[in-house]
Amino acid sequence: MDGRLANRWRLTVNEKKFIETALASNLRIDGRNPLEYRKIIIKFGREDGSSEVQLGQTHVMGFVTGQLVQPYQDRQNEGMLLIFTEFSPMAGPSFDPGHPGESAVELGRIVDRGLRDSRAVDTESLCVLSGKLVWAIRIDLHIVDNGGNLIDAANIAALAALLTFRRPECTLGGDDGQEVIVHPPEEREPLPLIVHHLPVAITFAFLGSEGKLVVDPTHSEEAVMAGRLIATVNANGDICAIQKAGGEGVPQSAIMHCLQLASMCAISITKKINSAPWDYVFCSKSNFIL
Amino acid sequence: MEYKSSGSPVTFVDNLVVPGDVVVDLSSMTNQTIKLGGGLRQDCDAISVMKAGKLRFSKPNKYWVETSQKRYVPCVEDSVLGIVVDSKSDNFLIDIKGPALAFLPVLAFEGGTRRNIPKFEAGTLLYVRVVKANPGMNPELSCTDASGKAAEFGALKDGYMFECSTGLSRMLLSSPTCPVLEALGKKLSFEIAVGLNGRVWVNSNSPSIVIIVANAIMNSESLSGVQQKIMAEKLLQKIQVRALQL
């Protein structure tokens, strides 16, 4: 029991007071402005549909895979989108292996809602044989290091992985035209998913008694914050989802302010995600032979 | 790096060694007693390394391996920064980043009696000294030095604490003064408390100075002395330029 107690990360009274005092002069402990995002680094793996996102010290990996399954009874013409999150114990001392905790479930739900409710991924194009076979797209998010703001990083990882995922082409053939032939990548070029827009999640933390706003909180700021608001918006200014689970109440004006800030942040992040595959291939791989 | 015969210890001192390196061959040294510190083990006639790090030698006959990691192994007479977890009737339970929580007796303060026991709430930061550290047992701490005087031990008020590796703490405490602290100290006024368990506390009148000092120290982890000076000076120049622009 002692060992468990000893290996936790603890917040000191000094740190809590200092973060709030520094914020009164618009300073954050890593030198950022209250409305400044950390540097986002997006890398890709060798397989299609695998991404690695670093947001400061936070490190998340996303993997997208596809499988042919039977569709749901009430959605016979649509494919499926499934999101699984795994909080690795190496990400932080509070994460235990096995059953996902509350924060893991919340993260999965926010990413899922952002993609599903806003219809970012076209599920009708995933239908191969109506009522019989559709593509089930599975997104696995692995949290490798927790430096604060896992939700934004996981969302970016999911989007980057979805953009680079390729599924095999399927055609109908056979005697009755009902047989599905899945073409291997050597035969026919695999197809990308149809993604209409990119819903980006932006996390706002409210700190201190006056509810001062910061964007992209770090681990210590998350431990000290009084409340949190996550707004999922896209580059067109559409609000895809908002999440405010518990914490201090905030006035209406604060929520509107957050949504406006979120749409501004979303534009720059969307640009980064869209240009990430090209930047990664041409800038960092020095032995890339054209 | 040239390899001389493995029996000569001069080759390895102050160099990086990895587990498995044989640093001293006892058969070639006659009638000498050598003292082995942490990270070294005796296998019959050979002294081999158990932990990766730098091999150090101090006259007349002490050898040890200096390593740097994020975990702390409690050692007697170390000054560490602890966080109060809980208070019992006899002891405070303190977290010092070791494998087990440490005990701080309620009377281990200068002039401490049953009547004036200090009240520490959970999360208070203390600068304490390790008195007992036996493997398998909870370490024992004290807020006085060996002679019973307070000597700067006790609760630290305000300021900001951050964590680093044990190697960085040792570098900050080395004498002559570490280059990054010297460069910062010339222009800024601040006070710091360094715990050998990988915790550093910084305090100053203005929060911006605390943030600058904390970030400068965190960045100097893998830099050499000269690089640290350059990094600190660049940081100070940037801030002065900003102050002039305001």
Side-chain angles (χ1 to χ4, degrees):
Chain A
M1 204 262 280
D2 235 8
R4 268 277 186 89
L5 278 177
N7 276 324
R8 273 187 48 211
W9 177 84
R10 279 166 225 285
L11 185 72
T12 52
V13 165
N14 313 48
E15 208 170 331
K16 186 167 176 7
K17 212 166 131 199
F18 181 72
I19 291 178
E20 292 173 6
T21 326
L23 208 55
S25 354
N26 276 345
L27 290 165
R28 290 166 82 171
I29 43 175
D30 51 358
R32 285 186 282 159
N33 288 330
L35 304 178
E36 199 182 319
Y37 234 81
R38 280 175 287 184
K39 182 160 179 228
I40 306 173
I41 303 174
I42 307 178
K43 294 194 216 159
F44 298 92
R46 202 129 35 107
E47 292 131 23
D48 292 329
S50 68
S51 69
E52 197 181 307
V53 171
Q54 273 178 292
L55 184 64
Q57 216 210 327
T58 304
H59 202 143
V60 180
M61 297 173 83
F63 299 95
V64 175
T65 45
Q67 215 188 359
L68 281 171
V69 296
Q70 261 199 333
Y72 291 130
Q73 288 293 337
D74 50 346
R75 282 173 213 268
Q76 306 237 338
N77 290 331
E78 287 182 18
M80 296 189 224
L81 193 66
L82 306 152
I83 303 196
F84 293 90
T85 59
E86 193 186 307
F87 277 41
S88 165
M90 74 169 147
S94 53
F95 297 145
D96 286 318
H99 194 68
E102 200 182 289
S103 45
V105 174
E106 191 185 8
L107 190 148
R109 275 298 293 147
I110 295 173
V111 176
D112 182 80
R113 216 180 322 137
L115 289 171
R116 195 191 299 275
D117 289 0
S118 63
R119 301 187 184 278
V121 178
D122 188 286
T123 43
E124 282 180 6
S125 64
L126 297 173
C127 175
V128 178
L129 201 54
S130 174
K132 301 261 181 60
L133 277 181
V134 296
W135 281 105
I137 304 294
R138 178 186 164 127
I139 307 177
D140 282 285
L141 297 165
H142 290 262
I143 313 293
V144 172
D145 202 357
N146 181 12
N149 201 6
L150 292 170
I151 294 169
D152 293 13
N155 200 314
I156 298 174
L159 293 172
L162 282 169
L163 285 180
T164 53
F165 173 65
R166 302 285 180 266
R167 62 171 175 86
E169 190 175 336
C170 301
T171 45
L172 295 173
D175 305 320
D176 54 350
Q178 294 291 304
E179 216 180 279
V180 174
I181 311 165
V182 179
H183 297 274
E186 300 87 46
E187 244 180 62
R188 293 218 193 162
E189 187 77 22
L191 305 168
L193 294 172
I194 298 180
V195 179
H196 296 299
H197 62 98
L198 295 174
V200 176
I202 315 278
T203 304
F204 299 90
F206 300 101
L207 297 168
S209 46
E210 318 94 41
K212 271 219 115 174
L213 191 69
V214 297
V215 169
D216 186 19
T218 56
H219 189 54
S220 336
E221 287 168 349
E222 277 188 346
V224 171
M225 70 184 174
R228 174 169 76 167
L229 176 83
I230 300 132
T232 309
V233 297
N234 67 9
N236 301 331
D238 304 321
I239 301 171
C240 307
I242 304 181
Q243 167 102 348
K244 186 183 185 305
E248 283 263 331
V250 288
Q252 249 181 336
S253 51
I255 298 188
M256 295 311 292
H257 185 50
C258 287
L259 294 175
Q260 279 164 351
L261 290 168
S263 19
M264 290 195 297
C265 288
I267 296 173
S268 56
I269 297 180
T270 311
K271 221 191 296 185
K272 187 128 196 165
I273 300 176
N274 275 325
S275 63
W278 295 106
D279 291 338
Y280 183 64
V281 166
F282 288 101
C283 297
S284 46
K285 284 199 184 289
S286 53
N287 54 353
F288 183 74
I289 303 165
L290 279 162
Chain B
M1 196 165 59
E2 261 188 10
Y3 280 107
K4 298 194 194 146
S5 67
S6 65
S8 152
V10 184
T11 342
F12 287 98
V13 173
D14 281 340
N15 283 328
L16 288 170
V17 288
V18 289
D21 280 350
V22 174
V23 291
V24 177
D25 192 9
L26 288 175
S27 53
S28 63
M29 305 167 82
T30 47
N31 272 355
Q32 271 187 28
T33 351
I34 47 174
K35 291 190 185 167
L36 298 180
L40 292 171
R41 189 176 77 155
Q42 180 181 12
D43 282 325
C44 306
D45 257 357
I47 307 291
S48 53
V49 174
M50 282 202 297
K51 271 180 159 188
K54 267 203 182 139
L55 182 69
R56 293 256 181 253
F57 171 67
S58 102
K59 294 218 168 100
N61 53 4
K62 290 201 199 118
Y63 290 96
W64 73 96
V65 178
E66 224 170 59
T67 59
S68 169
Q69 56 246 20
K70 286 193 175 169
R71 286 180 188 270
Y72 170 63
V73 175
C75 286
V76 187
E77 289 311 314
D78 274 355
S79 316
V80 296
L81 257 60
I83 303 178
V84 178
V85 174
D86 199 5
S87 58
K88 299 271 161 75
S89 54
D90 278 344
N91 305 308
F92 293 107
L93 292 178
I94 314 276
D95 164 40
I96 55 172
K97 269 176 91 170
L101 294 176
F103 293 150
L104 172 66
V106 293
L107 301 174
F109 295 86
E110 183 177 357
T113 59
R114 274 276 152 198
R115 298 226 179 147
N116 57 356
I117 296 176
K119 286 195 184 51
F120 293 137
E121 56 167 355
T124 313
L125 189 65
L126 300 173
Y127 187 55
V128 290
R129 179 178 65 99
V130 179
V131 170
K132 270 197 232 166
N134 297 320
M137 283 171 50
N138 298 66
E140 220 181 85
L141 309 170
S142 167
C143 264
T144 65
D145 63 8
S147 60
K149 295 278 185 336
E152 309 290 335
F153 291 113
L156 295 168
K157 271 196 69 189
D158 300 330
Y160 172 62
M161 183 214 66
F162 59 93
E163 301 200 342
C164 62
S165 69
T166 50
L168 182 62
S169 318
R170 277 199 302 268
M171 187 191 68
L172 290 171
L173 288 170
S174 60
S175 62
T177 323
C178 162
V180 65
L181 290 177
E182 209 182 299
L184 290 170
K186 282 198 195 137
K187 299 272 174 63
L188 307 169
S189 85
F190 56 92
E191 56 172 332
I192 65 169
V194 181
L196 282 162
N197 57 341
R199 287 196 174 134
V200 181
W201 172 87
V202 185
N203 192 14
S204 177
N205 328 350
S206 88
S208 56
I209 297 183
V210 176
I211 294 174
I212 293 163
V213 173
N215 282 305
I217 294 176
M218 282 195 264
N219 286 341
S220 63
E221 172 89 53
S222 49
L223 302 177
S224 72
V226 178
Q227 287 171 324
Q228 283 174 27
K229 247 180 82 179
I230 299 173
M231 185 260 306
E233 270 158 28
K234 258 199 220 163
L235 198 60
L236 290 166
Q237 264 179 356
K238 229 198 292 185
I239 295 143
Q240 274 182 342
V241 168
R242 241 195 236 167
L244 286 171
Q245 281 174 347
L246 281 168

